[in-house]
Amino acid sequence: MTPNNKKPRKLLDQASGADGSAPRLSAEKFSPKSTTTEAQRQRVLEALRAGPKTSHDLRRLGIYQAPARVKELRDKCGYRITTAPVPLVDSDGYYHPRCALYTLEAEAPGGAV
């Protein structure tokens, strides 16, 4: 039980589909400022569906562990997301020679999320 006596939220539906598909993310909606792992995964997917994003872009969306969220989407949910190193100068003028650029190449089998 959590401190306010509520049951912890289930982050992944662990049951695979009848066709052996990957676990599905829950369809639960989160506040735009939620920092739960599930909310961050949803934001990553929404952002990548709009086009490629850098780890810097994802941090500005409140996703501070972008590599971990991308790995979960790949390994646990079956999304095909590629990573490429790109040079970047951030808004403060700092040069980052190998910032990760994530691209959603294919949705998860069975249409998870």
Side-chain angles (χ1 to χ4, degrees):
M1 295 295 236
T2 58
N4 54 0
N5 293 324
K6 291 182 182 177
K7 288 185 179 180
R9 189 174 311 176
K10 193 177 198 182
L11 298 180
L12 277 176
D13 177 3
Q14 296 299 321
S16 295
D19 60 355
S21 61
R24 296 173 184 261
L25 294 170
S26 72
E28 190 170 349
K29 292 289 183 184
F30 297 92
S31 83
K33 301 292 183 183
S34 175
T35 58
T36 65
T37 301
E38 176 70 16
Q40 289 182 45
R41 279 195 292 258
Q42 284 182 353
R43 286 199 302 273
V44 168
L45 275 178
E46 289 168 8
L48 292 180
R49 284 178 176 146
K53 299 289 182 274
T54 65
S55 54
H56 182 69
D57 296 329
L58 296 175
R59 279 189 195 99
R60 292 180 13 213
L61 296 174
I63 304 156
Y64 281 80
Q65 293 295 322
R69 301 297 82 83
V70 168
K71 181 167 176 40
E72 292 162 358
L73 288 168
R74 286 175 181 147
D75 297 349
K76 294 180 181 179
C77 302
Y79 288 88
R80 198 168 81 220
I81 301 170
T82 58
T83 305
V86 295
L88 173 91
V89 177
D90 67 22
S91 58
D92 295 319
Y94 290 97
Y95 177 71
H96 304 274
R98 295 179 50 85
C99 186
L101 177 69
Y102 299 107
T103 304
L104 178 63
E105 297 290 337
E107 293 285 331
V113 176

